[in-house]
Amino acid sequence: MSILFFIIGTFAGFYSIYKAVTSLDKIYAINKNGIKAKASVIEIRKKKQTDSDGDTSYLYYYTVKFRDNRGKEVREEIDFPVNNKSLRTPPFDVDIIYRRKENQEFDIILETNNGRNTGFYISLITGIAVLSYVIYTYDGQIDIILEFINNLFK
């Protein structure tokens, strides 16, 4: 049973770190190659989340409408949620940065959302904490799981 926990914990830690890095990479790509625009928030979707202690918090996903650089009207949900609900009710204007993907979809972030990196930090800290716990608990056995992962992908 303990080796199973070791394997699952290691995969969970690496996956959490991978998720954090890909999230941050997406944010940087949008900031670097994106186009700034004004958009109108037309809808706010509220998502409830509960942590391991049973504490409840909410994330807010904005659906925006804007015209892209080709003049086409776009209506899409912003990729990263906001931690605090806006005091304004839709419709209201926001500044966004968007990037057109190859399949005609968009990656969109709020230009002023300083909390957009929160998910990155939470995933990164969680991954490092899980891996640290696994390494601390199973002293010297990390080589076994790394060899297992290496053989799995051959």
Side-chain angles (χ1 to χ4, degrees):
M1 177 68 175
S2 64
I3 192 71
L4 181 62
F5 176 76
F6 179 70
I7 292 171
I8 291 171
T10 303
F11 275 119
F14 280 124
Y15 175 74
S16 185
I17 291 171
Y18 169 78
K19 183 178 171 186
V21 170
T22 56
S23 175
L24 186 63
D25 185 47
K26 184 176 184 177
I27 291 169
Y28 283 142
I30 296 170
N31 276 324
K32 183 179 178 185
N33 302 319
I35 300 169
K36 293 181 180 184
K38 287 274 190 202
S40 180
V41 175
I42 55 175
E43 183 180 330
I44 300 175
R45 181 173 59 92
K46 181 177 176 180
K47 181 179 177 187
K48 180 180 177 179
Q49 62 182 35
T50 306
D51 64 13
S52 59
D53 295 332
D55 296 331
T56 300
S57 62
Y58 296 95
L59 295 174
Y60 300 93
Y61 291 85
Y62 289 1
T63 299
V64 294
K65 181 172 65 171
F66 66 98
R67 291 207 177 272
D68 68 0
N69 59 346
R70 298 176 183 171
K72 178 182 173 189
E73 186 173 283
V74 177
R75 177 189 168 127
E76 201 161 318
E77 189 172 86
I78 292 179
D79 293 332
F80 295 94
V82 178
N83 296 330
N84 299 318
K85 184 177 181 182
S86 174
L87 299 176
R88 302 177 286 178
T89 55
F92 58 90
D93 291 336
V94 292
D95 293 321
I96 62 167
I97 303 173
Y98 72 90
R99 179 181 70 163
R100 182 185 305 272
K101 296 190 280 189
E102 292 179 14
N103 58 358
Q104 299 301 318
E105 292 180 0
F106 292 87
D107 288 329
I108 305 170
I109 59 174
L110 285 173
E111 185 177 14
T112 58
N113 184 8
N114 295 328
R116 65 179 171 241
N117 291 338
T118 305
F120 162 76
Y121 291 117
I122 291 171
S123 294
L124 185 63
I125 290 168
T126 302
I128 291 171
V130 168
L131 286 178
S132 298
Y133 177 76
V134 167
I135 291 169
Y136 176 76
T137 305
Y138 298 97
D139 186 34
Q141 295 184 18
I142 192 69
D143 294 333
I144 296 169
I145 194 63
L146 290 176
E147 183 179 331
F148 173 77
I149 291 171
N150 190 28
N151 290 333
L152 188 67
F153 292 111
K154 282 187 178 181

